[in-house]
Amino acid sequence: RERVPMENPFVYGEVVPAGAFVDREEELARLSADLRAGQKIFLISPRRYGKSSLIRRALEDAARRGCLTVEVTVSSYSSYLAFLEGYARAVLSAETKLPRALAWLREAIGATRPEVRLEEGRDGGTGLAVSFPAVRSARDVARLAPEVFALPARLAESRGRRVVVALDEFQAIAGFNGGSVEEALRAAVQHQRQVGYVFA
């Protein structure tokens, strides 16, 4: 009789799917409740301890409870401007109706004239791409940042729903523009009572 090898039930080194996520019920419940309450949370642990998986489950829980969710991996961007474009795209994607999303973004960031287009992703699906072609200098980027960082609060206000934002690999923000990026982000989020943040 042929022996069938047993499949390893443990997932390691990637964000685990819901079926492979075990334990941490207390941490998950606490993180979810705090985010839905508009708290600002710093989640710190060594690499490969499951922060991203925990955050993903918390976002899923928040979405089931009616929150709009935004997830950004900071380390996947090579420049401050690219990060701002990715952040704007992630917030815009939380708005499900495209015409309303476009009108809303142009109103929120009108002076910088954002350019939004549909583009095909690596997985074959289509998604939004946001760019700011008029932004050319460091001064332009510094002016744009507070407008982009205000987007989650504007989304919460326009939709009448709480928003939850997860910024994973947040330490990579230091590589963009010294401490000024973190200062601009902190200045924006401290006034956003309808938005919960986790900085991991």
Side-chain angles (χ1 to χ4, degrees):
R1 195 162 80 182
E2 187 180 334
R3 294 185 73 182
V4 177
M6 189 172 108
E7 188 175 315
N8 184 347
F10 301 104
V11 178
Y12 179 78
E14 61 187 73
V15 176
V16 300
F21 187 83
V22 295
D23 204 11
R24 299 208 176 157
E25 283 88 3
E26 185 180 328
E27 292 91 342
L28 178 58
R30 189 169 160 196
L31 179 60
S32 296
D34 285 347
L35 288 172
R36 291 190 321 270
Q39 297 298 316
K40 309 331 181 233
I41 299 157
F42 284 85
L43 184 60
I44 302 167
S45 78
R47 293 185 63 76
R48 302 289 177 224
Y49 269 54
K51 293 181 299 295
S52 299
S53 298
L54 180 66
I55 290 167
R56 181 73 51 84
R57 300 286 84 77
L59 291 178
E60 289 170 358
D61 181 63
R64 278 193 303 273
R65 295 169 188 259
C67 296
L68 299 171
T69 62
V70 176
E71 186 175 10
V72 178
T73 301
V74 179
S75 63
S76 63
Y77 300 100
S78 59
S79 70
Y80 193 7
L81 179 58
F83 167 66
L84 292 173
E85 291 171 341
Y87 192 95
R89 179 183 64 244
V91 175
L92 188 63
S93 296
E95 173 57 82
T96 53
K97 295 196 178 356
L98 185 60
R100 185 164 63 187
L102 296 176
W104 174 81
L105 182 67
R106 289 193 177 109
E107 180 188 319
I109 308 183
T112 314
R113 295 189 309 279
E115 192 174 280
V116 181
R117 65 191 177 285
L118 286 173
E119 69 178 17
E120 192 172 324
R122 290 183 200 141
D123 60 357
T126 56
L128 293 175
V130 176
S131 61
F132 300 101
V135 173
R136 295 191 177 96
S137 68
R139 181 178 288 169
D140 292 339
V141 173
R143 271 195 231 111
L144 173 65
E147 293 183 81
V148 171
F149 295 150
L151 289 176
R154 296 191 72 153
L155 178 63
E157 185 182 338
S158 72
R159 292 294 305 277
R161 292 166 66 181
R162 287 196 177 266
V163 173
V164 173
V165 176
L167 293 166
D168 205 1
E169 301 287 342
F170 183 69
Q171 72 279 4
I173 214 158
F176 295 150
N177 196 9
S180 65
V181 181
E182 192 170 344
E183 282 177 30
L185 185 53
R186 282 179 188 255
V189 304
Q190 67 183 344
H191 302 292
Q192 298 182 14
R193 288 298 310 133
Q194 295 299 314
V195 185
Y197 284 85
V198 57
F199 304 91

